[in-house]
Amino acid sequence: MDHKLSTLLCLTLLFSTILNPALSELCNPEDKKVLLQIKKAFNDPYVLTSWKSETDCCDWYCVTCDSTTNRINSLTIFAGQVSGQIPTQVGDLPYLETLEFHKQPNLTGPIQPSIAKLKSLKELRLSWTNISGSVPDFLSQLKNLTFIDLSFSNFTGSIPSSLSQLPNLNAIRLDRNKLTGHIPKSFGEFHGSVPDLYLSHNQLSGTIPTSLAKLNFTTVDFSRNKLEGDASMIFGLNKTAQIVDLSRNLLEFNLSKVEFSKSLTSLDLNHNKITGSIPVGLTQLDLQFLNVSYNRLCGQIPVGGKLQSFDSSAYIHNRCLCGAPLPSCK
């Protein structure tokens, strides 16, 4: 009888495991509870249909579980639509490393302060949304961040200088917003790795901080702002800059004396008030792209390197530039 009983018990357990996956599911119950609250806060959108209480949340669409701890470590919604504000419950997923809402035009309101609790966060991407308000100062508390992308949204106010305290940043994308004020001086004093800076298509004004001379950026895009004065501190023989776009600003400096590093492959300075002549040093570079049109440059375009491989549109509308590909000098 005992033997039969134990067999029966084993079978009962086996069937209950098959019928009730909760006994075998990997998903952490706390994480599951939070995700279901997030779904409810978004009014049960179609994109989160797979989020059902009777299934394992490690199998749900838009999330992943860590392979060892089985805790939710990413929440990425970039297909299908959600609307409203980012639910505060997002801050209750303590193991989250990636948080992404991309191409969500109906996502509004500010960046939730509860995101400050996500101490493991490495990637924050809230792009192509209608999120508004300021870029929050509390982002500087998330010391594991390697990537911040808040591009193509409705952010206003100034850039928090505290972002320079993040030691592991590879890139900051704040392009295509409505940001005002100056580029922070602290951006010349990043505490760890030096991030690529994308600040284009905003309403940033004032001068580029001279402190940027101290750092080696790989990519700098400050185009389409209202920046004025000097930009020569971004360049230098010993720098590692590869892509520099300062086009469509009010920059005013003498290009003649600027020295460029061999690493530079793309230089866009069009639509500024830059004076002087094109330095011979540019013939030494393996440039893939160059545009210095619509400035106040003068003199002969140096012959050599890649300078004659660009057509006249790269040089037109200057004060008195001449020589190939423009008409020859008189």
Side-chain angles (χ1 to χ4, degrees):
M1 183 67 186
D2 285 350
H3 176 64
K4 281 184 176 171
L5 191 63
S6 62
T7 313
L8 191 65
L9 269 172
C10 285
L11 285 170
T12 313
L13 268 173
L14 181 67
F15 279 114
S16 64
T17 310
I18 293 164
L19 295 172
N20 182 2
L23 292 174
S24 64
E25 77 174 56
L26 300 169
C27 174
N28 177 280
E30 281 303 304
D31 288 350
K32 184 183 230 179
K33 193 172 100 183
V34 170
L35 290 172
L36 290 171
Q37 288 169 348
I38 291 170
K39 181 186 179 183
K40 191 177 174 195
F42 276 139
N43 287 323
D44 298 338
Y46 179 71
V47 68
L48 303 181
T49 309
S50 68
W51 293 20
K52 293 191 173 84
S53 55
E54 65 275 13
T55 58
D56 188 339
C57 76
C58 290
D59 298 329
W60 292 356
Y61 185 58
C62 303
V63 291
T64 59
C65 285
D66 181 89
S67 55
T68 358
T69 64
N70 297 319
R71 299 301 299 255
I72 294 289
N73 62 4
S74 87
L75 170 58
T76 54
I77 300 180
F78 52 81
Q81 293 296 312
V82 294
S83 52
Q85 300 199 7
I86 297 173
T88 52
Q89 292 91 339
V90 162
D92 298 327
L93 295 167
Y95 291 85
L96 211 58
E97 293 179 11
T98 302
L99 177 61
E100 176 178 345
F101 291 100
H102 177 60
K103 291 200 171 171
Q104 298 296 331
N106 301 320
L107 199 60
T108 56
I111 294 186
Q112 279 297 346
S114 65
I115 287 174
K117 295 192 282 184
L118 301 174
K119 299 300 181 194
S120 301
L121 202 63
K122 291 179 181 172
E123 293 192 16
L124 176 64
R125 188 180 192 198
L126 308 171
S127 53
W128 299 71
T129 71
N130 270 307
I131 296 174
S132 56
S134 58
V135 176
D137 208 34
F138 65 69
L139 293 180
S140 63
Q141 298 163 29
L142 304 177
K143 301 297 184 195
N144 289 307
L145 277 175
T146 60
F147 184 62
I148 298 175
D149 183 359
L150 307 178
S151 61
F152 290 86
S153 293
N154 276 323
F155 291 103
T156 52
S158 56
I159 299 169
S161 59
S162 58
L163 292 180
S164 66
Q165 293 163 22
L166 291 167
N168 299 303
L169 270 185
N170 297 322
I172 300 180
R173 296 206 72 123
L174 302 176
D175 44 308
R176 295 187 186 254
N177 280 289
K178 295 168 183 168
L179 299 170
T180 52
H182 295 198
I183 295 171
K185 284 190 180 68
S186 66
F187 275 23
E189 291 147 12
F190 277 94
H191 292 195
S193 54
V194 180
D196 293 339
L197 289 180
Y198 298 90
L199 307 179
S200 72
H201 294 77
N202 280 291
Q203 293 154 34
L204 300 171
S205 58
T207 56
I208 297 173
T210 52
S211 60
L212 265 61
K214 293 184 270 185
L215 289 189
N216 243 328
F217 295 93
T218 306
T219 301
V220 171
D221 185 355
F222 294 167
S223 62
R224 291 180 187 260
N225 281 290
K226 298 172 183 173
L227 300 168
E228 31 187 271
D230 189 17
S232 60
M233 79 292 288
I234 288 170
F235 306 103
L237 282 177
N238 303 322
K239 298 274 185 151
T240 53
Q242 291 174 14
I243 297 167
V244 176
D245 188 348
L246 305 172
S247 61
R248 294 181 185 266
N249 278 289
L250 307 166
L251 297 167
E252 215 166 329
F253 61 98
N254 186 331
L255 193 63
S256 320
K257 298 181 177 62
V258 176
E259 296 185 308
F260 297 94
S261 66
K262 289 279 204 304
S263 58
L264 197 66
T265 59
S266 177
L267 177 64
D268 196 346
L269 301 173
N270 81 76
H271 286 84
N272 280 290
K273 303 175 183 178
I274 300 167
T275 56
S277 56
I278 294 175
V280 178
L282 279 179
T283 61
Q284 304 299 307
L285 309 186
D286 187 17
L287 287 170
Q288 311 299 310
F289 181 86
L290 174 72
N291 193 339
V292 295
S293 65
Y294 292 87
N295 277 292
R296 297 173 182 180
L297 299 169
C298 224
Q300 180 162 6
I301 297 169
V303 176
K306 292 287 185 72
L307 295 191
Q308 277 65 46
S309 70
F310 304 107
D311 64 26
S312 59
S313 64
Y315 300 101
I316 55 169
H317 287 277
N318 273 288
R319 190 161 280 164
C320 46
L321 272 186
C322 57
L326 295 179
S328 57
C329 302
K330 293 190 174 69

